[in-house]
Amino acid sequence: MTALAWVLMWWIAWSSSLPLPSEVPRVAFMGEWTMRCSGWDRARGECGPEAAAAVPEIVAFYEPREKMIYLRWEWKPWSVVDLGTLVHELVHHMQFSAGLDKTAECKSALETDAYRLQNQWTVLWGQRAESDALFMAFVSMCHWDAR
């Protein structure tokens, strides 16, 4: 996975203004419910099946404190769409490595480049773009998170 991540980060750096970081993030896999519970607000109680069902589907996420990308068990390295998901999370790793999380208006604003490069990757390999402009504008709005 390390070699694949390096190749994809080189492509991201070549396709954007993001600098190549000095290290590759670690990658771990988890099941759907575990991933959904990772986004659960623990102050609201334990994350059981009902709570997990209330969290939108998550297929991957980047944890900057751990420098770790979490992918679902179902992730396939031969799938262009799944590789696009990895590209998206690697963009976040590169953004945090470059300190862009400290200068962005909010963390949601970092999604624009991640979705743009994910779309660019999937289209490059003959697949339909995963996200349209309206979706990208919506998820990158700063009302999602407080700074």
Side-chain angles (χ1 to χ4, degrees):
M1 183 65 85
T2 301
L4 175 60
W6 275 119
V7 168
L8 292 174
M9 288 194 307
W10 273 100
W11 178 83
I12 292 165
W14 180 79
S15 300
S16 70
S17 61
L18 290 170
L20 195 62
S22 60
E23 60 187 348
V24 69
R26 295 177 301 146
V27 176
F29 295 89
M30 62 175 56
E32 176 184 1
W33 294 110
T34 305
M35 190 165 282
R36 284 182 184 223
C37 283
S38 67
W40 180 252
D41 179 4
R42 301 277 181 224
R44 294 169 49 193
E46 285 302 309
C47 181
E50 288 180 22
V55 176
E57 182 179 20
I58 300 170
V59 296
F61 67 93
Y62 176 66
E63 174 49 63
R65 289 180 302 269
E66 300 173 14
K67 295 183 180 177
M68 175 84 79
I69 291 174
Y70 290 93
L71 300 170
R72 293 254 299 264
W73 285 115
E74 300 86 4
W75 186 87
K76 299 172 288 305
W78 57 85
S79 164
V80 170
V81 172
D82 287 357
L83 285 170
T85 299
L86 181 56
V87 164
H88 181 110
E89 301 309 329
L90 287 168
V91 168
H92 289 315
H93 172 68
M94 293 171 73
Q95 290 169 326
F96 276 83
S97 295
L100 296 180
D101 59 306
K102 293 171 181 60
T103 60
E105 183 180 351
C106 65
K107 287 194 174 78
S108 294
L110 300 174
E111 294 296 335
T112 303
D113 278 344
Y115 279 111
R116 180 182 59 78
L117 288 159
Q118 179 179 4
N119 282 345
Q120 191 174 330
W121 173 265
T122 55
V123 169
L124 176 69
W125 294 101
Q127 299 289 318
R128 182 181 58 81
E130 291 289 299
S131 311
D132 63 19
L134 181 61
F135 172 80
M136 291 191 304
F138 185 72
V139 298
S140 63
M141 293 172 64
C142 289
H143 72 278
W144 289 114
D145 54 47
R147 196 88 147 92

